[in-house]
């Protein structure tokens, strides 16, 4: 007499490696909305999502492309752009009466001082209550873009051709990379 075994097919998103269900469950047990952070090389997408039994509900969303409305045309892949996107999300969340969330970084490696934590720092500075250790927060110099300005000035002084090549996107957009901290502050004021 042969025995048969049953095989349970895993959830599609788990098979594809797109969702870590144990981590998702631990976030959902907090009963707070999730601040979902997804990044590509050139942009950051932020969403505050509330759990609903029939499907999650996006309460608020922000994208680095929206920063152009506030005078930011330096691209969305930098650490200062992620910081400003976090501030923009926090402003939109205040308007929708969302005051707190828990961070959901997905499969991104949690490395201190990276764009993920710049985004969280922006959300916290904007007034959103998100648990975050001060040890992982990027330095104020990096959040303001001072590191970009300092490096641009150093390269410009030593090798003008390399400067033009490395900062061609900034120069094409009419931005002086040495004045990045000023651009960050101006955009921050316009966001409110």
């Amino acid at each position: 007499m042969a025995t048969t075994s049953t095989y349970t097919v895993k959830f599609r998103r788990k098979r594809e490696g797109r969702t870590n269900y144990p981590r998702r469950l631990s976030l959902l047990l907090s009963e707070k909305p999730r601040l979902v952070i997804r990044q590509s090389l050139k942009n950051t997408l932020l969403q505050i999502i509330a759990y609903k039994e029939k499907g999650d509900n996006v309460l608020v969303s922000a994208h680095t492309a929206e920063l152009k409305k506030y005078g930011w045309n330096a691209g969305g892949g930098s650490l200062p752009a992620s910081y400003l996107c976090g501030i923009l999300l926090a402003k939109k969340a205040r308007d929708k009466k969302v005051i707190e969330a828990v961070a959901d970084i997905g499969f991104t490696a949690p490395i201190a001082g990276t764009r993920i934590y710049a985004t969280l720092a922006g959300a916290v500075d904007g007034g959103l209550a998100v648990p975050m250790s001060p040890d992982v927060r990027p330095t104020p110099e990096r959040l303001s873009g001072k590191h970009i300005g300092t490096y641009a000035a150093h390269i410009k002084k030593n090798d003008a051709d390399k400067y033009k090549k490395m900062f061609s996107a900034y120069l094409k957009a009419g931005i002086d990379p040495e004045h990045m901290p000023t651009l960050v502050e101006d955009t921050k004021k316009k966001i409110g």
Side-chain angles (χ1 to χ4, degrees):
M1 182 168 181
T3 61
T4 60
S5 62
T6 58
Y7 178 75
T8 305
V9 178
K10 295 178 183 176
F11 292 126
R12 178 184 55 83
R13 291 184 63 85
K14 186 171 187 172
R15 285 192 318 262
E16 294 172 353
R18 295 174 65 190
T19 300
N20 182 339
Y21 283 99
R23 185 185 294 169
R24 177 180 163 83
L25 179 62
S26 68
L27 291 172
L28 295 178
L29 287 175
S30 71
E31 297 184 359
K32 294 179 183 176
R34 294 177 298 135
L35 169 53
V36 177
I37 305 167
R38 300 295 180 257
Q39 295 181 326
S40 67
L41 290 176
K42 294 186 177 184
N43 287 301
T44 299
L45 171 67
L46 305 175
Q47 295 177 319
I48 296 181
I49 300 177
Y51 170 77
K52 299 288 183 202
E53 199 169 314
K54 294 192 178 196
D56 291 347
N57 184 21
V58 177
L59 304 174
V60 183
S61 142
H63 193 276
T64 48
E66 293 178 61
L67 295 173
K68 290 182 181 178
K69 297 176 194 171
Y70 301 96
W72 180 266
N73 54 355
S78 67
L79 198 130
S82 295
Y83 175 69
L84 292 170
C85 192
I87 291 174
L88 179 61
L89 180 83
K91 178 185 182 254
K92 289 181 172 185
R94 276 194 317 262
D95 296 343
K96 296 266 184 151
K97 307 289 190 275
V98 178
I99 57 171
E100 64 180 349
V102 292
D104 179 355
I105 62 172
F107 285 107
T108 306
I111 300 170
T114 57
R115 289 184 347 181
I116 291 282
Y117 293 112
T119 301
L120 285 175
V124 169
D125 290 352
L128 191 63
V130 181
M132 181 176 118
S133 170
D135 299 338
V136 297
R137 184 183 173 98
T139 62
E141 291 80 23
R142 291 183 61 81
L143 292 175
S144 69
K146 186 176 180 183
H147 67 292
I148 296 171
T150 304
Y151 184 68
H154 173 73
I155 294 294
K156 187 177 185 179
K157 185 172 86 172
N158 294 327
D159 189 353
D161 292 334
K162 186 175 180 181
Y163 170 80
K164 288 177 185 173
K165 186 176 180 181
M166 288 185 77
F167 295 100
S168 62
Y170 287 98
L171 298 172
K172 186 177 180 182
I175 299 168
D176 183 359
E178 296 174 58
H179 295 99
M180 184 60 71
T182 307
L183 179 62
V184 171
E185 277 305 310
D186 292 346
T187 307
K188 193 173 170 181
K189 287 176 187 173
K190 289 177 185 174
I191 291 172

